[in-house]
């Protein structure tokens, strides 16, 4: 049984999934490799210094090399969060301000079909990959849709985000996202443009005759890695991003999407996986929110699980806040971090404070005066939604910029 993609539970013995050897990939291995490269470089430099000096004993040389390894690893580890936060400086995507669907697969059993999804075609299962729960689209052409109370659940303004996995051993991998104008009818003549899929490849995004590849992603080459897909639909316009790159910008789309499905391309022979699907209803512009309510409520600032490390897909929202504060020099904010009720009160309060401080630090590093910002952790004390659903919890996990 593959150690990276595990199916748990004795009753599932007949449906255990065995992945090909090339699938045994852990995202953490990439960071480990970079750390090792830096360690090797520092060790080699130290060894050269010791050899040229011709004064150190073998024990002293070994000790010097061990010290160099420790220093190099600490250097890379310390730099990792900052480097991660700076990756997506060009990203300008801002998600909607009301959560419609959010699934981090918490509480799901490996090997089972994800309970908050509907199967349209093929076979899908929850699996563990690289220490994270994912939806594994097992067979080619597998299609899934969020399981919602109504079939027509997308409003006229909405955003969609998800992470999709690309396997370096299969450069032809692609995912298809369908926005459907009617839940049961697929007729382009009746329902406008939303008949063909949005096709997500490792280097680009295409929809009908729109879209392009990213020269930067092409230059990097196809690697085994996750890519973040972001889609913003505003009445008639549609923007689509792959990681930080905006690759589609259509100002006038015909047809009104009411729901969606995610499908693995039939050419896929590797591991098709999806995670962190987030759908939100669009809202007011940031400054309009301040004028109307005295604060900005955002779900665009995302962190690593149970950590205060800002994820790169947060850059769109954070850079919009920076721009707003630059344009409105009299505007000052208290950065308030909020959590859901999972976990104990004390831990949530501490985590929310750390996250608020991380956001403040980022804004200050972008040139906003420290005196214009405060950081306050609210923990789980001020929920927006008192429900217990995944969406209710997602609505409560937020960062607010409160005018002071």
């Amino acid at each position: 049984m593959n150690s990276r993609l595990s199916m748990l539970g004795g009753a599932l013995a007949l449906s255990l999934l065995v992945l090909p050897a090339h699938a045994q990939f852990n995202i953490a291995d990439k960071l480990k490799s970079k750390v090792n490269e830096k360690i090797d470089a520092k060790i080699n430099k130290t060894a050269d210094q010791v050899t040229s000096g011709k004064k150190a004993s073998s024990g002293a040389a070994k000790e010097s090399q061990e010290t160099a390894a420790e220093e190099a690893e600490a250097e890379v580890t310390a730099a990792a969060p900052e480097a991660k936060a700076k990756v997506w400086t060009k990203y300008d995507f801002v998600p909607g301000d009301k959560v419609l669907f959010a699934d981090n697969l918490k509480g799901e059993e490996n090997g089972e079909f994800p309970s908050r999804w509907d199967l349209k075609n093929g076979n899908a299962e929850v699996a563990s990959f690289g220490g994270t729960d994912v939806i594994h689209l097992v067979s080619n052409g597998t299609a899934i849709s969020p399981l919602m109370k109504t079939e027509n659940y997308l409003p006229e303004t909405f955003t969609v985000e998800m992470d999709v996995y690309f396997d370096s051993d299969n450069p032809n991998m692609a995912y298809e996202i369908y926005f459907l104008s009617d839940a049961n009818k697929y007729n382009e003549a009746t329902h406008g443009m939303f008949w063909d899929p949005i096709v997500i490849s490792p280097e680009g995004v295409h929809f009908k005759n729109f879209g392009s590849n990213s020269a930067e992603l092409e230059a990097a080459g196809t690697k085994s890695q996750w890519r973040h897909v972001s889609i913003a639909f505003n009445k008639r316009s549609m923007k689509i991003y792959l990681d930080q790159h905006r690759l589609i910008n259509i100002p006038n789309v015909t047809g009104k999407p009411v729901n969606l499905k995610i499908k693995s391309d039939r050419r896929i022979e590797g591991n098709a996986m999806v995670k962190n699907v987030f759908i939100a209803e669009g809202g007011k512009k940031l400054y309009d929110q301040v004028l109307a309510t005295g604060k900005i409520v955002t779900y665009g600032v995302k962190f690593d699980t149970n950590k205060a490390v800002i994820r790169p897909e947060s850059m769109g929202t954070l850079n919009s806040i920076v721009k707003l504060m630059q344009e409105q020099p009299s505007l000052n904010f208290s950065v308030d971090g909020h959590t859901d009720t999972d976990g104990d009160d004390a831990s949530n309060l501490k985590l929310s404070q750390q996250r608020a401080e991380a956001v403040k630090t980022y804004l200050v590093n972008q040139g906003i005066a420290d005196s214009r910002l405060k950081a306050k952790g609210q923990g789980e004390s001020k929920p927006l939604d008192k429900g217990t659903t995944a969406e209710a919890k997602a609505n409560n996990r937020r960062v607010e910029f409160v005018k002071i």
Side-chain angles (χ1 to χ4, degrees):
M1 178 173 166
N2 187 283
S3 61
R4 299 296 180 197
L5 187 55
S6 60
M7 302 299 177
L8 303 179
L12 301 173
L14 295 179
S15 62
L16 291 179
L17 175 65
V18 180
L19 295 180
H22 66 258
Q24 300 185 31
F25 175 82
N26 190 333
I27 301 299
D29 290 342
K30 296 173 70 176
L31 178 58
K32 182 179 180 181
S33 176
K34 291 183 182 295
V35 172
N36 288 339
E37 288 176 7
K38 189 139 190 173
I39 290 173
D40 290 342
K42 197 150 192 173
I43 288 175
N44 290 339
K45 182 178 179 180
T46 302
D48 290 342
Q49 293 172 344
V50 170
T51 301
S52 62
K54 295 183 181 179
K55 295 181 181 180
S57 66
S58 59
K62 181 178 180 181
E63 183 177 352
S64 296
Q65 291 183 11
E66 289 176 348
T67 301
E70 292 172 358
E71 290 176 352
E73 185 163 11
E75 184 179 332
V76 173
T77 302
E82 181 180 1
K84 189 174 186 180
K86 289 182 177 180
V87 169
W88 291 10
T89 54
K90 301 176 183 178
Y91 191 57
D92 61 1
F93 173 86
V94 178
D97 55 14
K98 179 182 178 182
V99 180
L100 299 177
F101 180 84
D103 192 11
N104 59 8
L105 301 173
K106 187 172 183 178
E108 299 279 4
E109 291 290 335
N110 282 9
E112 297 288 348
F113 184 82
S115 63
R116 305 192 65 240
W117 292 81
D118 187 21
L119 182 66
K120 299 298 184 181
N121 187 64
N123 182 24
E125 297 174 327
V126 177
S128 178
F129 182 77
T132 303
D133 285 338
V134 303
I135 300 175
H136 182 222
L137 307 179
V138 178
S139 56
N140 295 354
T142 293
I144 57 175
S145 291
L147 194 59
M148 307 292 282
K149 292 182 179 179
T150 62
E151 288 186 310
N152 298 351
Y153 52 83
L154 292 178
E156 63 178 9
T157 301
F158 63 86
T159 59
V160 177
E161 296 177 81
M162 69 187 74
D163 296 318
V164 294
Y165 183 75
F166 290 99
D167 193 331
S168 61
D169 285 352
N170 190 355
N172 293 322
M173 278 186 81
Y175 295 84
E176 298 174 350
I177 300 173
Y178 288 82
F179 282 127
L180 306 177
S181 294
D182 187 281
N184 300 309
K185 297 177 181 179
Y186 303 85
N187 187 319
E188 183 175 8
T190 304
H191 301 290
M193 295 185 70
F194 294 105
W195 168 243
D196 288 351
I198 298 165
V199 180
I200 312 294
S201 66
E203 299 89 12
V205 179
H206 295 84
F207 174 62
K208 289 185 175 290
N209 58 336
F210 301 96
S212 63
N213 283 4
S214 161
E216 184 176 328
L217 296 181
E218 284 185 326
T222 303
K223 301 175 182 178
S224 293
Q225 61 187 309
W226 293 94
R227 292 227 184 278
H228 190 73
V229 179
S230 309
I231 303 171
F233 188 89
N234 186 1
K235 297 180 180 178
R236 297 177 69 91
S237 66
M238 181 168 67
K239 299 177 183 179
I240 306 177
Y241 304 72
L242 187 61
D243 284 353
Q244 69 169 318
H245 308 284
R246 189 174 70 190
L247 300 177
I248 286 181
N249 186 6
I250 307 174
N252 190 8
V253 178
T254 58
K256 182 192 179 304
V258 297
N259 58 37
L260 68 85
K261 70 176 179 179
I262 304 166
K263 184 179 179 182
S264 62
D265 189 282
R266 293 187 181 277
R267 296 171 295 173
I268 292 179
E269 296 178 357
N271 301 306
M273 292 177 282
V274 179
K275 66 178 182 177
N276 296 330
V277 179
F278 185 88
I279 305 173
E281 184 172 357
K284 297 179 180 178
K285 294 181 179 179
L286 299 184
Y287 191 54
D288 290 343
Q289 288 190 49
V290 176
L291 292 177
T293 65
K295 62 182 179 181
I296 297 168
V297 179
T298 177
Y299 302 96
V301 184
K302 303 180 189 297
F303 303 89
D304 286 352
T305 303
N306 295 325
K307 297 180 181 178
V309 178
I310 300 173
R311 296 186 58 79
E313 55 264 36
S314 308
M315 296 304 104
T317 297
L318 292 178
N319 291 337
S320 295
I321 296 292
V322 171
K323 182 179 179 181
L324 174 62
M325 296 189 73
Q326 290 171 339
E327 294 174 346
Q328 304 291 334
S330 63
L331 191 59
N332 303 321
F333 285 124
S334 171
V335 182
D336 290 8
H338 298 263
T339 70
D340 59 29
T341 56
D342 291 344
D344 63 84
D345 293 0
S347 297
N348 285 337
L349 185 60
K350 179 180 178 181
L351 179 61
S352 66
Q353 181 65 39
Q354 291 172 337
R355 288 178 169 179
E357 293 284 357
V359 171
K360 178 186 174 182
T361 298
Y362 177 83
L363 298 179
V364 170
N365 288 341
Q366 301 307 305
I368 303 301
D370 183 272
S371 60
R372 299 180 62 189
L373 296 162
K374 294 181 180 180
K376 186 174 183 180
Q378 302 283 4
E380 59 186 76
S381 65
K382 295 184 177 181
L384 287 180
D385 192 327
K386 295 185 178 180
T388 58
T389 66
E391 285 70 38
K393 292 181 179 181
N395 272 309
N396 292 332
R397 292 191 301 267
R398 66 198 189 277
V399 174
E400 294 186 357
F401 296 87
V402 182
K403 183 180 177 181
I404 55 176

